[in-house]
């Protein structure tokens, strides 16, 4: 591979500075740089053309000043926003990748990216499904749902499962996986439209709009008169507090995210933690990066479910790199319906 190749323009979305409080579109800068579409001689880097960018709540944590221990490495101000995406290899100095390969993994919010350590990328070999699925159902959110439910919670047939933020990229899959295991599944979401989707498209047994409930404890008692065996936690705050009052003995809570807390300078306190003791509840936080070794097993299962029509997936797609910042903000205002994806280019 030569280090030649002409420079081409490269539209980019940069992080203006570390973010405090609620993220705004103005926290991200739309600019144009340049990039060579050839890797340097002797380098094991690859150059990719980005096709789809994934907008995920965890990205908000990477936009703040580094804390200890970090949830994930912080982004660097005045550098491209980082997130998961689907891309096509244009040039490669790495033996595992060649021109034309399709990959998914961490990339920059830009038209083209130079990826110095492509070992963390997954090669896409199944292309008989929409490529955008590798930002969601067949990518990080899908593996997150699989690991949190199967590995952390190990639900059994007949158990009761509650999922918060249930219509999002992860939640919609958790509910469907749990139903396929023979569980009774209820989800919460923030609009009538999303509640209808949970019941009519994703096959949840029931669902409710948390914004319509003045008493979350009462709402959960109504939907789970005998208590909750498994809670897949995506929101934190008052919802977690209410769930703790309604867990069954030896219940399991997989803590995936706490989107209600990400934009607060001072997180809300949790008052009912003593229930962990009295009800012998196991509450475990997890990060999908610890489960990457399970990806082949998960992919096989998910592809089979898709093929058999046992699982459905809803995407909320926005066209254009320049619209990616507004797409990300939609996650925190509840405007997105399903997996939020920004389309940068077609193959």
């Amino acid at each position: 591979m030569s280090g030649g190749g002409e420079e081409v323009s490269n539209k980019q979305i940069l992080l203006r500075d570390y973010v405090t409080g609620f993220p705004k579109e103005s926290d991200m800068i739309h600019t144009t740089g340049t990039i060579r579409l050839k890797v340097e001689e002797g380098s094991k880097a690859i150059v990719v053309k980005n096709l789809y960018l994934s907008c995920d709540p965890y990205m908000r944590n990477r936009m703040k000043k580094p804390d200890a221990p970090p949830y994930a490495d912080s982004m660097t101000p005045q550098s491209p926003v980082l997130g998961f995406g689907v891309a096509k290899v244009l040039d490669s100095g790495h033996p595992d990748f060649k021109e034309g390969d399709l990959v998914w993994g961490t990339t920059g919010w830009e038209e083209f990216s130079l990826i110095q350590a492509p070992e963390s990328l997954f090669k896409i070999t199944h292309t008989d499904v929409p490529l955008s699925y590798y930002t969601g159902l067949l990518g990080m959110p899908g593996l997150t749902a699989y690991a949190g439910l199967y590995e952390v919670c190990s639900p059994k047939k007949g158990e009761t499962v509650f999922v918060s933020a249930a219509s999002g990229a992860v939640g919609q899959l958790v509910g469907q996986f749990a139903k396929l295991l023979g569980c009774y599944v209820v989800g919460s979401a923030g609009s009538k439209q999303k509640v209808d989707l949970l019941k009519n498209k994703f096959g949840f047994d029931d669902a409710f709009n948390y914004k319509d409930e003045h008493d979350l404890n009462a709402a959960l008692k109504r939907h789970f008169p005998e208590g909750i065996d498994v809670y897949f936690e995506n929101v934190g705050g008052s919802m977690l507090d209410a769930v703790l009052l309604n867990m069954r003995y030896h219940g399991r809570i997989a803590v995936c995210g706490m989107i209600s807390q990400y934009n607060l300078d001072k997180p809300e306190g949790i008052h009912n933690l003593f229930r962990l003791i009295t009800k012998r509840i196991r509450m475990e936080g997890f990060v999908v990066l610890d489960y990457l070794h399970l990806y082949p097993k998960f992919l096989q299962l998910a592809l089979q479910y898709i093929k058999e029509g046992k699982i459905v997936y809803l995407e909320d797609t926005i066209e254009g790199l320049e619209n990616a910042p507004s797409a990300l903000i939609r996650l925190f205002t509840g405007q997105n319906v399903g997996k939020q994806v920004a389309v940068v280019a077609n193959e």
Side-chain angles (χ1 to χ4, degrees), residues 203-277:
F204 283 55
D205 291 292
D206 210 342
F208 65 91
N209 181 351
Y210 69 90
K211 292 178 182 176
D212 289 344
E213 301 291 343
H214 302 297
D215 184 340
L216 290 174
N217 178 27
L220 291 170
K221 278 186 167 48
R222 190 169 73 242
H223 288 91
F224 296 99
E226 295 181 9
I228 301 165
D229 291 302
V230 168
Y231 173 43
F232 198 98
E233 165 68 303
N234 287 311
V235 301
S238 56
M239 184 64 82
L240 175 58
D241 239 358
V243 167
L244 287 168
L245 296 174
N246 288 277
M247 292 297 292
R248 299 185 71 178
Y249 282 85
H250 303 289
R252 288 87 71 205
I253 301 174
V255 186
C256 174
M258 294 193 171
I259 195 170
S260 73
Q261 308 299 298
Y262 293 164
N263 301 315
L264 303 180
D265 292 331
K266 188 177 179 184
E268 295 172 319
I270 301 297
H271 305 282
N272 297 319
L273 288 173
F274 192 64
R275 296 297 175 105
L276 295 176
I277 301 169

Side-chain angles (χ1 to χ4, degrees), residues 62-136:
R62 300 190 71 182
M63 291 177 163
K64 65 184 183 183
K65 274 188 182 171
D67 55 10
Y71 172 83
D73 291 340
S74 290
M75 299 181 201
T76 304
Q78 299 300 310
S79 293
V81 171
L82 296 174
F84 285 92
V86 173
K88 186 174 188 175
V89 177
L90 299 181
D91 192 37
S92 171
H94 197 286
D96 294 345
F97 299 95
K98 65 180 189 300
E99 181 183 345
D101 281 349
L102 293 164
V103 296
W104 76 267
T106 299
T107 188
W109 276 27
E110 51 193 350
E111 287 182 286
F112 306 100
S113 293
L114 174 66
I115 299 178
Q116 297 284 4
E119 296 82 8
S120 63
L121 299 174
F122 290 91
K123 198 182 292 189
I124 296 172
T125 55
H126 297 275
T127 55
D128 53 345
V129 293
L131 276 181
S132 57
Y133 275 17
Y134 289 92
T135 67

